[in-house]
Amino acid sequence: MTGNRRDVRIRVDRYTQVCLTVIAVLLTVLIVGLWADFTPSARSARAADDATAAEATKQLLEAQNKTTAAIERLPDVLRSGEVKVQVMKRPARPEE
């Protein structure tokens, strides 16, 4: 089996070598940039004060409850006739 062995040589032209080198350099710059802009992981994000997170959640729930109550009152207001809709004509735009 060793008698059938052939050497295969591939020639790469100068243009291909330059392109591959540029790609390798740009990938290296990208990786270094990602390491430099390291975003905190979920563990470090949990380091926030639990009381602050609970207060923020409470405020969000209160705002959501107010919005839900307003939406639930909307059909009654529309049925009562208190809402008046007027269609107005668009004012003419001055010629430019």
Side-chain angles (χ1 to χ4, degrees):
M1 194 158 166
T2 57
N4 294 336
R5 187 177 227 182
R6 294 190 306 179
D7 288 333
V8 178
R9 294 181 188 215
I10 298 174
R11 285 190 166 179
V12 179
D13 63 342
R14 188 71 148 156
Y15 176 76
T16 305
Q17 288 178 347
V18 170
C19 287
L20 291 174
T21 303
V22 169
I23 290 171
V25 169
L26 291 175
L27 285 173
T28 304
V29 169
L30 179 67
I31 290 170
V32 170
L34 289 174
W35 279 338
D37 290 338
F38 176 75
T39 55
S41 65
R43 287 185 190 167
S44 60
R46 283 190 65 201
D49 185 26
D50 287 338
T52 305
E55 183 63 30
T57 303
K58 182 179 176 182
Q59 290 175 355
L60 286 173
L61 287 174
E62 288 175 0
Q64 184 178 7
N65 289 336
K66 287 180 184 178
T67 303
T68 302
I71 290 173
E72 288 174 350
R73 287 193 309 267
L74 190 58
D76 295 332
V77 172
L78 292 173
R79 282 189 210 108
S80 71
E82 294 178 24
V83 177
K84 183 177 180 182
V85 179
Q86 293 181 341
V87 178
M88 300 179 64
K89 291 184 179 180
R90 181 186 292 180
R93 289 195 276 177
E95 297 285 329
E96 292 182 5

